[in-house]
Amino acid sequence: MANPAADRRTTAGRILLAMAAVAAAGGAVTAIADLSGASLEVSMVAAWRGFGLAVFAGLFALLAWRPTGYPGVLELAIAHKLALTLFALARPEAADAAEVAVADGLLTIALVVVYVLVDARRAWRPADRDGATVRAVG
């Protein structure tokens, strides 16, 4: 039996994840396009950032598609974004620290909201992945 309220919460979570995927993809495109102008001193860090944003875009897209299909991925994304936020707040003199603190801080909040909306802890229960039922063999 379908639960309309749970379906609406899951849909809202999926929309937030899709928005995060689009934002990360846009950031990746911009960062990767800027690589050609990056100095040799910062080119590896700039590449790491651009390609990392591309990976996060993919992860957020996968999570939007199946929010409870990948146990641990949403938790890792939350931990990563929280760590970046806290580091930026601890090092306000660093280049782009304020921008990172705001962007990753808001994303951390959004991901925690998604976690609650989609009840992501269900991802750890095999019976809930893909709607498949786990059956004992033997």
Side-chain angles (χ1 to χ4, degrees):
M1 179 189 257
N3 179 342
D7 291 345
R8 283 192 300 275
R9 287 191 303 269
T10 298
T11 299
R14 291 175 118 173
I15 289 168
L16 285 171
L17 286 164
M19 291 170 55
V22 169
V29 168
T30 300
I32 292 168
D34 290 345
L35 285 176
S36 63
S39 69
L40 194 54
E41 293 80 21
V42 300
S43 62
M44 285 306 301
V45 172
W48 178 269
R49 180 174 185 260
F51 300 139
L53 284 166
V55 168
F56 268 97
L59 290 174
F60 293 147
L62 287 170
L63 287 167
W65 176 43
R66 290 182 21 199
T68 59
Y70 308 97
V73 173
L74 189 52
E75 291 91 335
L76 286 170
I78 291 168
H80 182 271
K81 295 305 166 188
L82 179 60
L84 282 175
T85 301
L86 295 174
F87 188 80
L89 291 171
R91 300 289 299 257
E93 70 282 355
D96 299 326
E99 177 185 316
V100 169
V102 170
D104 284 311
L106 290 172
L107 185 52
T108 301
I109 292 166
L111 292 175
V112 169
V113 168
V114 166
Y115 192 90
V116 172
L117 286 172
V118 303
D119 194 16
R121 62 193 166 88
R122 289 183 303 127
W124 295 95
R125 295 194 306 235
D128 286 344
R129 283 189 223 139
D130 295 312
T133 303
V134 175
R135 297 169 197 240
V137 177

